[in-house]
Amino acid sequence: NMLLIGWSVYIAGHVLAIVAFLAIGAYQRDHMDGWTWAALLLVEAGFILTIPQAVAILSNYIQSSTGATMLLPAQMAPIGHFGELLLWLGVALYGLAARRAKALPTGVGWILLTASVLGLLAAFADVWFITAYWWVLAMLMLVFALVGIGGSMSHPPRLIASRPPT
């Protein structure tokens, strides 16, 4: 079943995103101000609070793997809406605050803001079948932003200078 495979991969990516955002914060700590740190804490709290929802969704697909409709973390009790709200508000605030603090490459802050709007629409606006696609698009944009941030990181000058000549 594609949903079973998809959610298994998603949970692994979810945990890696928690680590990735912490690594970005550690790498850009000199450029980050208080608002950026607060937004990063919101993102981390949102990711951590949505782990049980993702695991509950995966267990639903393990039990009934055929003919199932796609569930979203916001649809899962008990803290689905709250976890999604923290996650997507944190992503939006982090994108804007880190952009202002010059801790993100140009354009990535706007990608994070757009992903956040789509994620909030998916979590709180139930419009026929399209809601799940908004959430998938929001997650893909979040991954795209993380790749953009990772691609812009370079080695600190002290590491480059300490390498022996080849």
Side-chain angles (χ1 to χ4, degrees):
N1 187 332
M2 292 303 291
L3 289 173
L4 184 61
I5 295 168
W7 278 99
S8 300
V9 171
Y10 171 76
I11 290 175
H14 191 96
V15 172
L16 289 174
I18 292 170
V19 175
F21 273 104
L22 287 175
I24 291 166
Y27 184 81
Q28 296 289 352
R29 67 184 172 276
D30 296 334
H31 298 286
M32 292 177 52
D33 58 3
W35 288 108
T36 311
W37 282 112
L40 184 62
L41 287 176
L42 274 178
V43 171
E44 293 294 328
F47 270 123
I48 291 168
L49 285 175
T50 54
I51 287 174
Q53 276 63 275
V55 172
I57 290 170
L58 181 64
S59 70
N60 281 345
Y61 292 138
I62 289 172
Q63 292 172 4
S64 62
S65 61
T66 58
T69 58
M70 183 174 169
L71 298 172
L72 299 176
Q75 297 168 336
M76 301 301 293
I79 53 175
H81 276 105
F82 182 67
E84 287 283 303
L85 179 68
L86 279 182
L87 173 64
W88 294 116
L89 283 180
V91 167
L93 292 175
Y94 179 73
L96 293 174
R99 181 184 172 278
R100 183 182 53 80
K102 305 273 191 267
L104 287 179
T106 308
V108 173
W110 297 116
I111 293 171
L112 290 174
L113 182 64
T114 305
S116 176
V117 169
L118 289 173
L120 285 169
L121 281 174
F124 295 102
D126 191 15
V127 182
W128 304 300
F129 66 92
I130 202 162
T131 301
Y133 297 117
W134 284 344
W135 185 82
V136 169
L137 182 60
M139 283 296 165
L140 289 174
M141 290 182 77
L142 187 64
V143 169
F144 180 67
L146 286 174
V147 169
I149 294 168
S152 71
M153 293 181 173
S154 62
H155 298 289
R158 64 183 179 276
L159 292 178
I160 294 172
S162 65
R163 290 185 184 168
T166 55

